[in-house]
């Protein structure tokens, strides 16, 4: 017997998680990808990632996180 169910939405849409967890997940991934990169590049990437995810985040928070990520060595995530 075959299973006729299909995945019609992204996995993250099928398994809701608290907004705080989504934000932290994006920050962890961006830090892993961009630690030590140019702060302006990181700021642009953060803006795009949060826009793509449909998450509103203040410009001040984006700026703070981009500065933190540019100064980090990666792998030591802390949201503050």
């Amino acid at each position: 017997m075959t299973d006729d169910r299909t995945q019609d939405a992204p996995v993250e849409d099928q398994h809701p998680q608290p907004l705080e967890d989504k934000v932290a997940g994006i920050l962890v991934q961006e830090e892993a990808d961009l630690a030590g990169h140019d702060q302006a590049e990181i700021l642009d990437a953060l803006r795009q990632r949060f826009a793509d995810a449909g998450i509103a985040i203040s410009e001040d928070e984006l700026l703070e996180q981009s500065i933190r990520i540019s100064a980090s060595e990666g792998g030591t995530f802390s949201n503050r």
Side-chain angles (χ1 to χ4, degrees), residues 7 20 24 35 37 41 67 69 71 78:
Q7 180 177 328
E20 190 174 283
H37 284 228
E41 175 187 355
I67 292 168
I69 292 170
S78 146

Side-chain angles (χ1 to χ4, degrees), residues 25-37 68-69 72-77:
I26 289 171
L27 293 173
V28 166
Q29 186 61 54
E30 290 301 303
E31 182 174 343
D33 293 345
L34 299 172
H37 284 228
R68 181 189 61 76
I69 292 170
S72 75
E73 295 178 20
T76 58
F77 178 76

Side-chain angles (χ1 to χ4, degrees), residues 9-77:
V11 172
E12 64 269 11
D13 290 345
Q14 296 176 24
H15 302 284
Q17 58 186 167
L19 180 60
E20 190 174 283
D21 291 348
K22 290 179 183 181
V23 170
I26 289 171
L27 293 173
V28 166
Q29 186 61 54
E30 290 301 303
E31 182 174 343
D33 293 345
L34 299 172
H37 284 228
D38 178 69
Q39 184 267 328
E41 175 187 355
I42 296 167
L43 183 58
D44 288 342
L46 288 174
R47 283 184 186 127
Q48 187 63 52
R49 280 293 301 273
F50 283 104
D52 290 349
I55 298 173
I57 188 166
S58 74
E59 188 66 21
D60 287 344
E61 181 70 13
L62 290 172
L63 182 59
E64 181 181 319
Q65 293 297 334
S66 68
I67 292 168
R68 181 189 61 76
I69 292 170
S70 71
S72 75
E73 295 178 20
T76 58
F77 178 76

